[in-house]
Amino acid sequence: MVKNRKPIIAGNWKMYKTATEAVAFVRNLELSVAGMDDVEVVVCPPFNALVPVVEALRGSRIAVGAQNVHWEDQGAFTGEISPGMLKDAGCRYVIIGHSERRQFFGETDVNVNRKVKAVLQHGLTPVMCVGELIEERESGITEKVVRAQTEAGLAGLTAGQVAGMVIAYEPVWAIGTGKTASDADAQQVIGYIRGLVNQLFGGEVAAQVCIQYGGSVKPQNTASLMAQPDIDGALVGGASLDVESFTGIIKAAAGN
Ligand code: PGA
């Protein structure tokens, strides 16, 4: 089956790399991925590195994303950053609702929804993360959990907004553990999410929305994940911190 959605491979650097290291990294990455134009490549450095990385990538087709955002435009919210500030810094994508934010920083579905709406209003592309805990998978409620997160996160959006966004399915037990979901399990849940988007926003939107897999993606497991009919790319943590392994993932995604 030929997919007409361009795969998006995004590197979530979490709290790794100084601005100096980030700039050196993207200069190498740019050379390393030259010619792999069939894949959209995104790097998401920590906030302090956003501007220098955007500068270093000027004229490049590698896009830059942030790892979090506040939903208000401005105000007395110490330690937060607004969608307009990220836009002004040159970001194009924003990761929202990553499981580490849900787990360690009290991120809720309601706030995820506020953030998704806010970044869309500023012309940024949300990468909205959903995924179940190991206990939830073991008790057979994966679809229920993913459904609740997806419905709440997308509440109140227009069909056009959803068509242009990215959803990342990241089973929490697969993040940073070396345990990737099997191709079949990842496809099953991502196919389910696409079906849900179909029910909520219609077939055209479901055919357009980009749905990534995330959780221990490596060069060796990328091609078979990307060959699944509903998987449109990957949100990569650990393996995105090294130019060689991140390039290996992009190369494997370009082969599909
Ligand atoms: P990982 O992280 O690739 O290191 O498992 C993925 C993520 O947290 O987005």
Side-chain angles (χ1 to χ4, degrees), residues 10-14 95 98-100 129 168 170-179 213-218 234-241 249:
N12 170 16
W13 292 359
K14 311 192 179 186
I95 299 172
H98 188 278
S99 64
E100 285 150 18
C129 303
E170 298 205 302
V172 180
W173 47 271
I175 296 178
T177 57
K179 286 188 215 150
Y213 168 78
S216 298
V217 173
K218 304 176 206 68
L235 184 55
V236 186
S240 74
L241 294 169
I249 290 169

